Amino acid sequence: MRAFTFERAATPSAAALAMQQHPGARFIAGGTNLLDLMKLDIEQPTHLIDVNRLGLDRIEAMPDGGLKIGALVRNSDLAADARVRRGHPLLSRALLSGASAQLRNKATTAGNLLQRTRCFYFYDTTKPCNKRTPGSGCAAMEGFNRIHAILGASAQCISVHSSDMAVALRALDAQVETVSASGAVRRIPIAELHRLPGSTPEVETVLAPDELITGVTLPAPLGGVQLYRKVRDRASYAFALVSVAAVVVREGRTVTAARLAFGGLAAKPWRNEEAERRLIGTDGGAQARDAVADLLLADARGHGHNDFKIPLLRRTLHATLAQAIETT
């Protein structure tokens, strides 16, 4: 363990200012990802800023019928909240499919969004990784890449984002609220928070170095049927090979609105609004589902061991939409 200094921030803006004043610092809340990375010498913070006492642990109703979720709300509390289960059951289902009960009791909303990839080579400091050490190469490209990306990847990195919660929030059109050292507040659509790797895979989000996530807002419930289907190697405590977050609204037999977001495919939760529109005005039958899958997979590319994800995604999408149609 490398030596580091520690402080406990009193306000969100003070936490952001401390980050600005200490290059190499990290925020710490639940620590379910950061502490593991420190033990493996992947993260080497010189200073830790404890944000647990900032009063950001509440879920509040918004005037428009939406919810504001504090950055420090624990995953287990968010999944169990009656308002979430009633209006946004997709989010509750996604949270309960992630990690273990013990980890959900510690993990926070902001920490979940900012967790780092579970790529084997990112965690193995004996192997090259452009995300960990820019310019060193990507061992996954020619290595064992079974869990890796089939969409949005680059020659520099083919890792995937691991959050289930982020996939649900993408389908629900959430926004992320932040504060910087200057006190400036920003609202970032969840679609814009995470970056694709491109030529700089080490830059994972659009957040500035001194920017602290203070909360996440959800719009008023869309209604309809909300489902989260996660395909993984074991029944619990495993990351998604493919996951589908679906919201389907129908009038009679006709689909009037649809939201589809996907995990396990890319370095960010994946969503293709054009593919969603292929469902609108249809009965959601097999032909419509095929059209959605064709468009979604048009640019998909496997890297050997993960080629199976392409047909797996098609089958998982079919099964999820079929269940949604049968439920309405």
Side-chain angles (χ1 to χ4, degrees):
M1 180 65 72
R2 296 176 182 264
F4 58 85
T5 52
F6 175 89
E7 71 173 284
R8 179 168 288 137
T11 66
S13 57
L17 181 61
M19 180 67 77
Q20 184 184 68
Q21 294 171 339
H22 295 86
R26 294 288 186 274
F27 297 123
I28 185 166
T32 56
N33 189 208
L34 177 61
L35 293 180
D36 285 343
L37 294 173
M38 290 173 65
K39 292 173 185 177
L40 293 170
D41 207 31
I42 296 167
E43 289 274 5
Q44 302 166 359
T46 56
H47 187 71
L48 290 183
I49 304 163
D50 184 348
V51 297
N52 279 295
R53 299 187 182 182
L54 301 184
L56 302 175
D57 56 353
R58 294 185 291 273
I59 304 171
E60 301 171 289
M62 304 286 284
D64 64 356
L67 292 176
K68 182 174 182 179
I69 303 162
L72 297 174
V73 173
R74 305 294 161 167
N75 286 177
S76 54
D77 292 334
L78 183 57
D81 187 89
R83 294 163 295 184
V84 174
R85 295 176 64 183
R86 181 173 58 252
H88 309 280
L90 168 60
L91 177 57
S92 183
R93 292 188 177 107
L95 285 162
L96 292 174
S97 75
S100 65
Q102 293 89 340
L103 287 175
R104 292 195 297 269
N105 286 340
K106 290 290 291 181
T108 62
T109 298
N112 191 301
L113 287 175
L114 298 180
Q115 65 181 289
R116 306 199 68 185
T117 179
R118 263 51 179 195
C119 171
F120 313 125
Y121 301 102
F122 175 75
Y123 276 77
D124 184 349
T125 55
T126 68
K127 300 295 190 295
C129 171
N130 288 320
K131 187 180 287 289
R132 192 181 64 243
T133 308
S136 63
C138 176
M141 198 68 73
E142 302 298 331
F144 184 57
N145 48 44
R146 181 173 181 271
I147 66 171
H148 290 72
I150 60 171
L151 288 168
S154 74
Q156 303 298 311
C157 182
I158 57 173
S159 68
V160 298
H161 195 265
S162 307
S163 171
D164 293 292
M165 184 189 77
V167 178
L169 292 177
R170 181 70 183 90
L172 296 171
D173 279 335
Q175 290 196 327
V176 177
E177 295 187 350
T178 71
V179 65
S180 66
S182 67
V185 174
R186 185 158 69 125
R187 297 189 74 179
I188 306 168
I190 189 73
E192 299 173 11
L193 176 65
H194 300 100
R195 290 167 47 112
L196 293 176
S199 61
T200 55
E202 73 279 9
V203 182
E204 298 175 352
T205 72
V206 299
L207 297 178
D210 66 340
E211 211 165 3
L212 171 72
I213 293 177
T214 56
V216 172
T217 58
L218 293 176
L222 184 63
V225 175
Q226 299 187 17
L227 300 174
Y228 188 75
R229 184 178 291 250
K230 180 177 181 178
V231 181
R232 46 189 165 176
D233 286 324
R234 56 182 184 269
S236 66
Y237 198 43
F239 297 104
L241 296 171
V242 167
S243 64
V244 181
V247 181
V248 177
V249 181
R250 292 209 301 172
E251 291 183 6
R253 296 180 58 83
T254 303
V255 177
T256 57
R259 306 265 185 85
L260 300 170
F262 303 87
L265 306 184
K268 62 186 294 183
W270 197 261
R271 187 170 165 192
N272 186 321
E273 283 86 349
E274 185 180 352
E276 294 173 358
R277 288 192 287 271
R278 293 293 177 94
L279 278 178
I280 308 302
T282 75
D283 63 358
Q287 186 174 358
R289 298 197 293 268
D290 272 331
V292 173
D294 289 343
L295 190 54
L296 180 66
L297 292 168
D299 297 321
R301 174 180 170 241
H303 299 276
H305 298 101
N306 69 343
D307 292 351
F308 74 97
K309 281 192 175 187
I310 295 175
L312 177 62
L313 175 58
R314 182 179 291 274
R315 293 195 301 269
T316 306
L317 176 62
H318 262 274
T320 306
L321 289 178
Q323 182 182 354
I325 296 301
E326 290 170 3
T327 305
T328 53

